[in-house]
Amino acid sequence: MKNFRAIVPFIILLAALACSKNSVRSGAMLCTMHNAHNFYSKADLARCMGIDENALEDYFIFSQSAKAFNDTASTEAMLTSNVCDAIVDEVMLCIQAMFTDKQFARWHFTEMSLPVQFRTFIKQGSIPEMMVVGLVKKEDLSAKAIIYYLPLEYKMDIIGREKENGKMPDW
């Protein structure tokens, strides 16, 4: 029991040192397009995207980050692809929420026509960190907007299935 009492202050000291490390967000993550806007500042992010700071609440923010070792162009392309995939996954979740049956499981998006603003941010250091951000208006993920941005073959599929069920979509 005495050994335990001797170890407790040491454990508390180690825990305090572990908690006092620098935060993950230390340093500026600057936009590569303007080289001036910090991602971690809401006002800077809004200015970078060309919108009002208060209007930022009307957007969904999708992001992916990774260490950019040598080839920053391939890292940026990979991260942009990952952000696009995340947006498509969100669109598919919205579609599945609108149409509860599994009729759309065979759909595979090959292109995305949803209006998305992309920006790349980079944090300089010994190993630079890169982040790609995609902003989508919340209203663009509404039921009516998603159907508007779908390719024609998917729109026709929805109309055809709804006609078979005896009801037309409520857009």
Side-chain angles (χ1 to χ4, degrees):
M1 190 65 158
K2 287 185 179 185
N3 288 338
F4 180 71
R5 289 183 184 171
I7 294 174
V8 169
F10 182 69
I11 292 173
I12 292 172
L13 177 67
L14 286 176
L17 289 174
C19 292
S20 69
K21 287 187 176 182
N22 290 339
S23 72
V24 175
R25 294 184 174 183
S26 63
M29 181 81 72
L30 296 178
C31 172
T32 58
M33 181 181 283
H34 305 109
N35 205 20
H37 302 116
N38 185 2
F39 173 76
Y40 298 127
S41 167
K42 185 177 176 180
D44 277 356
L45 179 62
R47 270 183 292 211
C48 181
M49 294 298 185
I51 58 176
D52 184 50
E53 183 178 351
N54 296 328
L56 198 57
E57 301 297 324
D58 298 332
Y59 288 83
F60 288 115
I61 301 173
F62 295 89
S63 66
Q64 290 284 318
S65 62
K67 300 288 183 191
F69 291 103
N70 291 332
D71 188 15
T72 57
S74 65
T75 303
E76 182 177 7
M78 179 210 43
L79 291 174
T80 303
S81 176
N82 290 346
V83 170
C84 286
D85 290 344
I87 293 169
V88 168
D89 289 344
E90 186 68 27
V91 168
M92 288 305 294
L93 286 174
C94 291
I95 289 172
Q96 290 171 356
M98 287 187 289
F99 305 99
T100 56
D101 56 359
K102 303 290 184 194
Q103 66 187 11
F104 304 107
R106 61 182 173 77
W107 285 11
H108 298 288
F109 287 103
T110 55
E111 61 184 60
M112 184 177 67
S113 64
L114 194 67
V116 181
Q117 291 182 358
F118 289 101
R119 292 290 188 274
T120 303
F121 294 87
I122 194 159
K123 183 191 309 184
Q124 297 297 336
S126 59
I127 300 176
E129 184 178 349
M130 183 177 283
M131 177 187 298
V132 172
V133 175
L135 253 66
V136 179
K137 282 186 178 180
K138 290 180 181 179
E139 65 186 31
D140 286 340
L141 289 181
S142 68
K144 187 175 183 177
I146 286 176
I147 291 171
Y148 176 77
Y149 292 117
L150 284 175
L152 181 60
E153 62 198 59
Y154 296 152
K155 291 177 191 176
M156 298 308 291
D157 194 18
I158 292 171
I159 292 171
R161 290 177 190 273
E162 294 301 316
K163 275 186 179 178
E164 289 173 7
N165 294 337
K167 63 175 187 170
M168 287 303 292
D170 185 25
W171 322 325

